[in-house]
Amino acid sequence: MLLLDLLFPNRCVECNRIIHHDEAVCELCFDQIYFTHHDYSESNLLTEKCRLLFPIEQAFALMQFEEESTSQKIIHQLKYGKREKIGKIIANWTLEKMDFTDLKPDLLVTVPLHPKKLKERGYNQLHLFTDTLSKELKIPCDHHLIKRNFYKKAQAKKRREQRTFNENLFSITKQISNQHILIIDDVFTTGNTMSAVAWEILKAGNNKVSILVMAMD
């Protein structure tokens, strides 16, 4: 490990300084991250956005996602920079700032990649993040409950066609009911993806859903 660190040192995603191999940013750049300071047990901006789309119990976003922001660079490195271990780092930040109190879900579920996309990327950026939370919080996780049915979203469809596409974007792989499920994704933008996943879970049985995302746009 020491030789690898010398040959390929870990660098801050923001300023490119050499940092410890268990970090994503240096101390100076960490202070530039815009954390939302959401309270999982109370209503917040993400909760309000989700309630316009589907019934929700709680919601939590760790960071604010803005163009050229440090949080954007962190997540882009996680997704596209082959730095999968950043998922564990973000999970540890989440554990420090998110308090379930008496609102622990029964199951953690990740938004899936299409198998072709998974093969191209080599990993799902949510898995190490979720596995870390699962281990520390002692809540089971399931990376296979939801299946993505299409390789990529249609970009140039009419509104009605896009709505139909979103409704069929995911399917559920097994029967599940009477569960409080925490759906995990990286970035919440329009909410269309999260809504599509949530409705599949809600339709499957007498389930409740909550939301956790690394960042919200």
Side-chain angles (χ1 to χ4, degrees), residues 206-217:
N206 186 32
N207 298 308
K208 299 184 294 185
V209 296
S210 291
I211 301 304
L212 167 60
V213 292
M214 298 176 184
M216 63 179 293
D217 200 344

Side-chain angles (χ1 to χ4, degrees), residues 112-128:
L113 296 175
H114 188 274
K116 186 176 179 180
K117 177 69 73 176
L118 182 60
K119 185 176 181 180
E120 291 173 354
R121 186 171 297 170
Y123 59 92
N124 184 316
Q125 71 276 7
L126 301 174
H127 285 185
L128 183 56

Side-chain angles (χ1 to χ4, degrees), residues 78 84-96 100 108 110 124-141 143 184 212 214:
L78 170 63
E84 183 181 8
K85 66 181 181 181
I86 287 178
K88 183 175 182 179
I89 297 169
I90 300 175
N92 288 329
W93 295 346
T94 303
L95 289 165
E96 292 173 0
F100 281 116
L108 310 182
T110 49
N124 184 316
Q125 71 276 7
L126 301 174
H127 285 185
L128 183 56
F129 173 79
T130 304
D131 291 342
T132 303
L133 295 178
S134 175
K135 179 180 178 181
E136 294 299 321
L137 297 170
K138 296 179 173 54
I139 302 173
C141 65
H143 299 310
I184 296 175
L212 167 60
M214 298 176 184

Side-chain angles (χ1 to χ4, degrees), residues 103-217:
L103 301 170
K104 262 191 179 182
D106 301 308
L107 181 67
L108 310 182
V109 169
T110 49
V111 175
L113 296 175
H114 188 274
K116 186 176 179 180
K117 177 69 73 176
L118 182 60
K119 185 176 181 180
E120 291 173 354
R121 186 171 297 170
Y123 59 92
N124 184 316
Q125 71 276 7
L126 301 174
H127 285 185
L128 183 56
F129 173 79
T130 304
D131 291 342
T132 303
L133 295 178
S134 175
K135 179 180 178 181
E136 294 299 321
L137 297 170
K138 296 179 173 54
I139 302 173
C141 65
D142 190 337
H143 299 310
H144 306 290
L145 178 66
I146 302 296
K147 174 186 175 184
R148 185 182 288 265
N149 297 321
F150 300 98
Y151 172 56
K152 60 183 178 180
K153 291 183 179 180
Q155 297 296 324
K157 290 182 176 290
K158 294 179 181 178
R159 187 172 300 174
R160 181 184 300 174
E161 292 171 335
Q162 184 64 49
R163 184 163 58 245
T164 301
F165 182 87
N166 284 333
E167 288 173 353
N168 298 293
L169 182 58
F170 299 99
S171 58
I172 201 161
T173 62
K174 65 186 78 170
Q175 183 60 42
I176 187 166
S177 59
N178 299 309
Q179 296 285 295
H180 179 192
I181 297 174
L182 183 68
I183 308 171
I184 296 175
D185 203 0
D186 46 23
V187 181
F188 184 99
T189 50
T190 64
N192 288 339
T193 297
M194 190 65 77
S195 180
V197 173
W199 279 113
E200 289 301 321
I201 293 172
L202 291 167
K203 290 187 299 182
N206 186 32
N207 298 308
K208 299 184 294 185
V209 296
S210 291
I211 301 304
L212 167 60
V213 292
M214 298 176 184
M216 63 179 293
D217 200 344

Side-chain angles (χ1 to χ4, degrees), residues 7-62:
L7 294 175
F8 306 102
N10 188 37
R11 293 183 179 274
C12 173
V13 304
E14 180 64 62
C15 70
N16 210 38
R17 288 190 183 94
I18 294 176
I19 55 177
H20 191 271
H21 65 84
D22 285 336
E23 298 175 339
V25 292
C26 67
E27 290 185 10
L28 291 174
C29 293
F30 181 81
D31 291 336
Q32 297 179 30
I33 300 174
Y34 182 9
F35 290 105
T36 64
H37 303 294
H38 282 173
D39 188 333
Y40 179 75
S41 64
E42 297 180 2
S43 182
N44 54 57
L45 181 58
L46 180 58
T47 315
E48 294 170 4
K49 287 186 174 183
C50 289
R51 282 178 177 153
L52 296 174
L53 302 170
F54 54 90
I56 187 173
E57 302 300 313
Q58 281 81 36
F60 181 92
L62 177 67

